Structure formats: structure tokens, C-alpha cells
Amino acid sequence: MRSLPCDCLHQLVGNDIAVKPLAPGEFRRQGRMVVDFLANYYENIEKYPVLSQVEPGYLSKRLPSSAPQDEEPMEAILDDVRQHIVPGLTHWQSPNFFAYFQTNTSTAAILGEMLCAGFNVAGFNWVSSPAATELESLVMDWLGKMLELPTPFLFSGNGGGVIEGNTTEAIICTLTAARDRVLRRLGHNSIAKLVVYGSDQTHCSFQKAARVAGIDPQNFRALKTTRSTLFGLSPDTLRKAIRLDIDAGLIPLYLCTTVGTTSSAAVDPLAPLCEVANEFGMWVHVDAAYAGASCICPEYRKFINGFADSFSFNAHKWFLTPLDCCCLWVKDPNALVKSLSTAPEYLKNEATESKQVVDYADWQLSLSRRFRALKLWLVIRSYGVQNLRSHIRNHCRLAKLFEELVEEDCRFEVVFPRYFALVCFRMCPSVVAGMSNGHIVENGHGEAWKLNKVNRFNAQLLRNINASGQVFMSHTMVEGVYVIRFAVGATLVSERHVIMAWKVAQEHANSLLSMPASE
């Protein structure tokens, strides 16, 4: 490395450094400014269009193309945030945000993030920050007990939990552990024969994880689901697929089940699927990214009954905890450690050698890791189990309200059964067909043409709803059917927001229905 020029050295010695990046007084002053800015943002969040209205490339036209040479005051920076950044945000914390699955937050969690950033420890092993490791282990056992996970998933039962960044990381880690467990027995050349299984409703992160883990793309099975099973994976379908693969000389490795699919919040029947997988010695992972949080409520706990090897859910979706916070439990932590551990000289220490501590770097992909447990700890302590349950139940109640509003309007239909806080709906095919004044029947168009017309109508309805800026919803396609997804999950949402969202949908439907029919 080259030495700094003399003039630079002159600036960096002594007690006369021009900028003090961590001066406590200035931190206190600027911190208050940022907290006030965010508090004002939340007070006024309903005034913003939920879906950002900017065009691609807007920010490069507003901000300088080069970094400033000298320091700038926080007042000026926050003013730029207000004028240039906020307009480019889609407001995920808006009570009128009903798209995707929300990533909600809370006062306790935001303050937890502040503590995490303030301490800024890289807790890759126990000795690098004992509190970071031990609090994470404690909080994961707390949460595991709240979910009533079987004891083998807890540290007290020789399993354990870890906070990953997201579901993709959780699946990559467990799939890698499952892969290596088999390859140690059969030899590395068998990797080309390994097969992984999910359904056509399994999240795309599973496919990405399989690629990263070196699974042959031809050995990735997305098994078809149907309306008859409410789009859950059929155990019979799984067993038939496994037997076909075994007959072809392949090796069944890993099953990814889902509780609360992204498209429709469908639930795979865990117990019978686990029984099938266990017959063939497969690793079973439960991806409950969305709906797992609801399972702290006794009435939803039934959805995660099964005999899996690993279980994960995203606290950053529905647990008042911001990104990133994916909670993963495994029955056999040693399987993760054997696959993900490294032991460079510069990390060796007596605590690790004693085998009495957890080194979380060996449970994840990266080495360094954030002190994520702080925000989860603050959330659980600040609100308590009963209030967290009430938070989830309230969202499910509001989703039920929206479902009832849809069902009251005979022009609309709820397309899939509602399990949690997601309602999938659309304008009825008969209403859309009626716009053509019999044109469909007279010209003898088939069902495919009719379905396409209905899909295009509902897609246009959703575009118009979102373009209004009043609410934001998203869509999916299941069995060729285009549906609008209404997911309740914002921290600030209330009954009036749900009622208003439905009125917006009705108004735009009325407008579309009044337009002349087009081919």
C-alpha cells in the first residue's frame, strides 16, 4: 500500500481533524433530527401516493453526478431526502399498502436497528461479541417456544436457531447441509443424481438455492398442484415423482414444503408430506416465510404440524420487525456446521476450541453478521406475546372484512379460500363477458379466448387502481387465472383503510365497465 502524501498526513494527525465522524454531541443532535424526520413521515404517510409515480432514471436528473468534495450539513441532506428520495419510494409502511406480503416495522424494531448500528459488532463467532451470540440463541429459543416447535428444534433439545438474512439464505444453507450429508456417504460424483422437490407454488427462492447448491436444473421438480387440493402439494403426487426418479437411477434429496404460498397463501399438508419424505431418507424444510408468524396464535399452530428437519419464517414480514430477519431452526446444527464451517488461523480461539459455544458464522453463508437479535428481542419484550397475537389476529380480521365486501358485490368473486390475511379476488368472468353483448358466444370463441379477455380486464383494473396512488395491490396467476392479491399487513392499517381500498376497487371497476367493449 502506498503511503499517504504529506499534505494528507498533515490532515490526519493531532487533535485538529476537520470532521469528527462519531462525536457524541453531534450524534445526539443529528439523531434527533432523523427521528423527528421519520416521525413526521409516519404522521403524514397517507398523503403520499402509495406506489411511486416517478419515471426510470428520475434520480440522476435531480442529484449531482459526482460526490461532494467537502462535508455537507445534515439539514441539507435531509432536505434532499424529502425532495428527491421520498418521491421515489413506494411506501411499504403506508396503511394503504396491500401488495406482495408487507415487511412491517415498529418503534421497538427501529430502535433495535439503531442499537445494532450503534454497537456495530461483527458477531461471527462467540468471542467476537459474546452478547450477540448468546442473545440470538436465547431469542430463537423464545420464539421457538412461542411457535410450540418440537423440542429437538431448540438449543435445549440439541437443535437450535439462527437469524439469516432471508429465506433464500436459509434454503441454501439447509440444502447444502442435506447435499453434503448424502455426498459424504455416496461420493461427490453422485451430485448429478440428486433431486429436489417442491410444488409449482413454491417460492422462486428455492429454484435459486438449488442452482447455487449445484443441483442439476433437470433434477429440480416443481410438482403440479390443483384446485382440488387448494393448491397444496399432494403426498400421492410427491410419492409418484420420487418413485419415478428412483427408477431412473436418481437420488431423492430434499423437499421444500410451504406454509402460506406467495401466490395464494396455500398450505402444504406437512404431516403426510413428511411421512413420504421420511420413507426415502430426504431432508424436509418448511418454508413458512409469510404465515409462520401467525403460528404463534393457537388457532393457526395446526398448519406447522409435521416431522421436518428445518423450519424458517421471516420475522421481517409480519412480526413488527424490519428487514432483514429470517428465523431458521434446524434439528441437527452439526449438519450446517460440517458444510459451512471454515477454520482459518486468524479466527482460532479457546472458546471455539472448547466446543462450548455457538459460532454463528458456521451456520450461514457469510462470515460477518449483524446483531439482528437486538431488534427481535426489543420487539418481543416491548409488545409481549399477547399483543403480537392481537396484531396478527387483527390483520386476519381485516382481511375477512375485505373478503366479505368482495362477496357482497355479485360482480366480483373470491378466487381462492382465505387462510390468513390474503384475499385473492377478481371481476367475475360472466360480468366481463357481458360487456361484449353476446359477442363471445355469437362468434364461437373458445374458453381460452374468454379466459384471456377476463385476465386482461382484471389486469387493467389493477393497473388503474395502482395508478390512482390511493392504494397499492399486486397480482398473481394460478392455473392461468389472473387474480388481484389484497394482503393486509401494514402496522398502521385499520378498518377504514380496508373499506376505502374496496371503494377504490369498485370505482375503477365501474369506470371500466362503463367503457365501450373492445375486441
Side-chain angles (χ1 to χ4, degrees):
M1 181 184 293
R2 293 188 303 164
S3 299
L4 291 170
C6 290
D7 57 344
C8 292
L9 284 171
H10 179 72
Q11 297 293 324
L12 295 175
V13 297
N15 297 318
D16 298 323
I17 301 174
V19 175
K20 295 181 173 61
L22 202 55
E26 194 61 18
F27 172 73
R28 185 175 290 111
R29 185 185 75 85
Q30 294 186 23
R32 287 170 177 161
M33 291 172 58
V34 172
V35 169
D36 285 344
F37 178 90
L38 286 174
N40 290 333
Y41 169 73
Y42 284 120
E43 284 180 341
N44 296 286
I45 197 168
E46 291 186 60
K47 297 179 181 178
Y48 301 112
V50 187
L51 181 64
S52 177
Q53 306 294 302
V54 301
E55 297 292 332
Y58 90 101
L59 198 56
S60 62
K61 300 173 184 177
R62 296 190 180 199
L63 297 182
S65 58
S66 300
Q69 293 299 310
D70 298 307
E71 68 271 20
E72 297 181 359
M74 181 58 69
E75 291 85 349
I77 296 170
L78 284 178
D79 191 53
D80 278 350
V81 172
R82 184 180 298 106
Q83 292 188 49
H84 306 309
I85 301 302
V86 171
L89 296 178
T90 289
H91 299 280
W92 283 69
Q93 302 313 309
S94 169
N96 298 312
F97 184 107
F98 300 103
Y100 314 120
F101 287 130
Q102 284 89 336
T103 170
N104 58 31
T105 191
S106 61
T107 299
I110 294 170
L111 297 179
E113 283 282 15
M114 183 181 292
L115 286 171
C116 175
F119 292 139
N120 198 33
V121 301
F124 41 81
N125 59 18
W126 182 88
V127 75
S128 68
S129 241
T133 295
E134 297 197 12
L135 184 63
E136 185 162 335
S137 298
L138 175 69
V139 168
M140 290 301 291
D141 262 11
W142 276 12
L143 195 48
K145 292 173 183 177
M146 289 164 64
L147 291 164
E148 296 185 11
L149 292 181
T151 301
F153 278 115
L154 308 180
F155 283 103
S156 56
N158 296 320
V162 57
I163 303 176
E164 305 282 357
N166 51 57
T167 299
T168 304
E169 292 178 18
I171 296 177
I172 290 174
C173 290
T174 54
L175 179 53
T176 301
R179 178 200 68 190
D180 290 352
R181 185 173 68 178
V182 170
L183 295 183
R184 279 191 289 270
R185 187 176 77 250
L186 301 180
H188 189 76
N189 290 338
S190 296
I191 191 170
K193 297 181 179 180
L194 301 180
V195 187
V196 298
Y197 303 82
S199 82
D200 56 4
Q201 302 302 307
T202 304
H203 194 271
C204 61
S205 59
F206 181 37
Q207 187 172 18
K208 181 179 289 189
R211 291 175 184 170
V212 173
I215 303 299
D216 188 328
Q218 295 184 8
N219 293 347
F220 182 87
R221 304 284 181 262
L223 304 177
K224 183 174 176 54
T225 59
T226 63
R227 188 177 292 271
S228 64
T229 61
L230 301 179
F231 301 102
L233 178 58
S234 162
D236 289 339
T237 299
L238 175 63
R239 181 179 279 105
K240 290 175 183 176
I242 292 173
R243 291 199 181 282
L244 285 173
D245 286 330
I246 291 175
D247 290 344
L250 301 176
I251 304 168
L253 173 68
Y254 185 101
L255 169 65
C256 183
T257 61
T258 308
V259 176
T261 61
T262 301
S263 282
S264 64
V267 177
D268 288 335
L270 296 190
L273 288 172
C274 288
E275 288 179 7
V276 172
N278 290 338
E279 288 178 27
F280 300 97
M282 298 167 60
W283 183 296
V284 180
H285 178 71
V286 179
D287 171 14
Y290 162 60
S294 72
C295 296
I296 68 169
C297 301
E299 62 268 33
Y300 296 115
R301 174 59 182 78
K302 61 186 178 184
F303 291 119
I304 57 173
N305 286 331
F307 308 97
D309 297 276
S310 53
F311 174 91
S312 66
F313 90 95
N314 289 342
H316 61 241
K317 276 190 168 61
W318 204 5
F319 208 71
L320 295 176
T321 305
L323 286 161
D324 48 357
C325 193
C326 173
C327 300
L328 168 68
W329 290 264
V330 292
K331 284 184 176 177
D332 182 10
N334 286 331
L336 289 181
V337 173
K338 287 179 181 178
S339 291
L340 303 173
S341 176
T342 57
E345 182 63 34
Y346 49 79
L347 292 183
K348 291 181 179 179
N349 62 86
E350 292 182 3
T352 295
E353 297 298 324
S354 74
K355 307 295 184 183
Q356 300 300 306
V357 299
V358 173
D359 286 345
Y360 272 125
D362 298 338
W363 295 45
Q364 64 175 28
L365 298 177
S366 61
L367 176 65
S368 298
R369 59 199 324 271
R370 300 174 64 242
F371 195 173
R372 299 187 187 101
L374 267 175
K375 59 186 174 185
L376 198 52
W377 186 54
L378 261 69
V379 165
I380 296 172
R381 290 193 62 187
S382 296
Y383 306 122
V385 177
Q386 292 303 325
N387 285 316
L388 289 167
R389 286 173 177 161
S390 295
H391 157 75
I392 288 163
R393 286 170 174 150
N394 182 54
H395 287 170
C396 294
R397 179 186 67 83
L398 294 175
K400 185 175 186 296
L401 169 63
F402 188 84
E403 181 182 45
E404 291 170 349
L405 292 171
V406 173
E407 291 173 338
E408 289 173 2
D409 190 329
C410 62
R411 301 171 303 170
F412 290 86
E413 65 176 356
V414 175
V415 183
F416 310 122
R418 181 190 59 81
Y419 284 121
F420 307 104
L422 172 67
V423 180
C424 294
F425 71 102
R426 66 169 177 168
M427 182 68 75
C428 291
S430 59
V431 176
V432 178
M435 294 176 61
S436 301
N437 297 318
H439 186 76
I440 295 174
V441 176
E442 291 169 9
N443 285 351
H445 289 296
E447 287 299 315
W449 187 92
K450 181 179 178 180
L451 177 60
N452 184 54
K453 182 177 180 66
V454 175
N455 285 348
R456 285 189 285 112
F457 181 93
N458 282 285
Q460 186 60 56
L461 174 59
L462 180 61
R463 282 193 293 270
N464 293 356
I465 289 170
N466 290 339
S468 74
Q470 295 175 278
V471 297
F472 181 33
M473 307 178 196
S474 56
H475 81 282
T476 191
M477 290 272 286
V478 179
E479 285 194 331
V481 176
Y482 184 102
V483 298
I484 302 172
R485 298 172 69 262
F486 184 86
V488 180
T491 306
L492 299 173
V493 69
S494 67
E495 191 169 298
R496 70 178 176 86
H497 300 108
V498 171
I499 293 172
M500 185 273 287
W502 175 239
K503 289 180 178 178
V504 170
Q506 285 183 308
E507 289 168 3
H508 286 284
N510 293 339
S511 178
L512 276 179
L513 289 171
S514 66
M515 295 174 60
S518 59
E519 294 295 325

